[in-house]
Amino acid sequence: MPARSASATDKLAQLHDRLSAEVETLVGSEQWRRFLEVAGRFHRYSANNVLLILAQAPEATRVAGYWRWQSLGRQVRRGEAGIAILAPCVRRARAGEDHDDADGPEAERVVRGFRVTHVWDVAQTDGEPLAEVRPVLLAGQAPPALWEALAGHVAAAGFALRRGECGGANGRTDYRTRTVTVRPDVDDAQATKTLAHELAHVWLHDPADGGFHRGVAEVEAESVAYVVCRAAGLASDDYSLAYVARWAAGDVALVRAAAERVVATARRALVGVVAHDDDAGIMAGGR
């Protein structure tokens, strides 16, 4: 029994190594370089402006001003209503001076107020396609036992599992209400992968533990989902590689550093899942 257990761990470690190698290939590609170029040309928005954008256009994914879209080879369609945000009104002033026309090498930018300006979502524009490295929703079915096993782990952790809206995400884990939600309008393969991701959050990322870092948490959770799904016979590359690469910001070392926690968590998640291939080293029962 111990030898078989070690074999299981080795297999999962190999799957994580494969994930690291695939992410490294992706972030070294021309596609990734072009994506970063485009992403770097978008404005950074304050928390207040993010809330304003979501309140007016909850489905928005990428927003920019009229001229910014033109610089990216896209044109805002005639008649499209802009999304109102607040832009700072700034001036340059010397220390201790209160004049709007201050200038010079020692001048600094001072916010004097805010004005309303407008941005538009990419869906409101036409033109050149943007460079993208985006997760692609999985299609088709998942191994029958996988959803049930993952759902059982969620319940054992004291969380209720439901299918419902997730505010634009595919899944959500809420420690306050002890609920895990998976969106209802995706194929079984995507729903199961998402459940594996959320189970990792349940086990690894309790906000009460402190030291919570969103990027690391997302890299860990999606890495667990990748390893679990691969071990159970469900390929999640189309979704997981881009997701991990983006949350790691292209830092492959961050992905590798998560290996021990990812492998241990994936092995725990696979309890109760019977492998179809004995060589996979995954067994029903045992830890």
Side-chain angles (χ1 to χ4, degrees), residues 47 70 78 96 110 114 126 162 174 180 190 207 251 256 278:
Q70 286 204 332
R78 185 182 298 274
V110 178
F114 293 86
D126 296 312
R162 66 186 185 89
D174 191 331
V180 169
Q190 178 64 43
D251 184 357
R256 293 199 181 104
D278 287 339

Side-chain angles (χ1 to χ4, degrees), residues 65-124:
Y66 186 89
W67 299 112
R68 175 64 66 184
W69 280 124
Q70 286 204 332
S71 76
L72 291 166
R74 298 188 67 85
Q75 179 67 45
V76 176
R77 289 192 294 270
R78 185 182 298 274
E80 291 284 356
I83 303 166
I85 63 171
L86 296 175
C89 300
V90 298
R91 66 173 176 84
R92 298 178 70 84
R94 294 184 182 92
E97 193 171 40
D98 190 22
H99 298 290
D100 288 343
D101 58 352
D103 204 352
E106 70 276 26
E108 60 179 9
R109 292 167 62 87
V110 178
V111 176
R112 297 301 300 268
F114 293 86
R115 61 184 175 84
V116 175
T117 188
H118 292 85
V119 294
W120 287 262
D121 183 47
V122 63
Q124 298 175 285

